[in-house]
Amino acid sequence: MQLECVFFGPFREDVGQKTVIWGEDVDHVGELLGELEEAYPVLSGRLLDSDGTGMGGLAEKTVVTKNKTDVRHLEGLETPLEDGDVIRLVPSVYGG
C-alpha cells in the first residue's frame, strides 16, 4: 500500500518535507498517525491525543483529511485507508 502524507505549517517544518510517501501497510487513520509519530518523534502527542481530551483520540488542534474530507466526518481514527489515499495533516491554528 502507498499513501501520500502531506504536511502543512509547523508539521512540514518538523518533518523536513512537504510530502512523505508511506509504504507501510496500515488499515486505518489511527494506525497511520501512530506510525507517523513513531517515525517522526517530534510529532509525538501532536497527531494523537495521549490524555484523552481530543475528539476520538485525534489531537485537539490537528485536522486530518482523507482525500480532502476531514476524518471527523468519516469514521474518525477508524477511517479505513486504501492504496493511493492522500492524507493531509494540518495544525488547526495554521492557515488563514
Side-chain angles (χ1 to χ4, degrees):
M1 173 185 299
Q2 272 199 339
L3 303 169
E4 181 179 344
C5 300
V6 183
F7 298 91
F8 290 86
F11 290 162
R12 180 181 303 172
E13 294 168 13
D14 292 339
V15 170
Q17 54 192 339
K18 176 182 180 178
T19 303
V20 170
I21 302 301
W22 195 258
E24 303 295 323
D25 284 337
V26 289
D27 294 323
H28 49 76
V29 169
E31 186 178 0
L32 172 64
L33 298 182
E35 289 193 13
L36 287 171
E37 284 190 346
E38 285 183 29
Y40 302 98
V42 70
L43 297 177
S44 185
R46 295 168 65 198
L47 303 179
L48 294 170
D49 186 12
S50 59
D51 65 8
T53 61
M55 184 174 190
L58 184 60
E60 187 176 12
K61 296 181 179 179
T62 299
V63 175
V64 177
T65 65
K66 174 188 170 187
N67 303 326
K68 298 185 179 181
T69 301
D70 190 328
V71 298
R72 290 179 171 114
H73 300 292
L74 298 170
E75 297 177 47
L77 295 179
E78 297 300 318
T79 300
L81 295 171
E82 300 173 9
D83 189 43
D85 282 342
V86 177
I87 306 300
R88 290 175 177 82
L89 301 108
V90 184
S92 64
V93 295
Y94 180 76

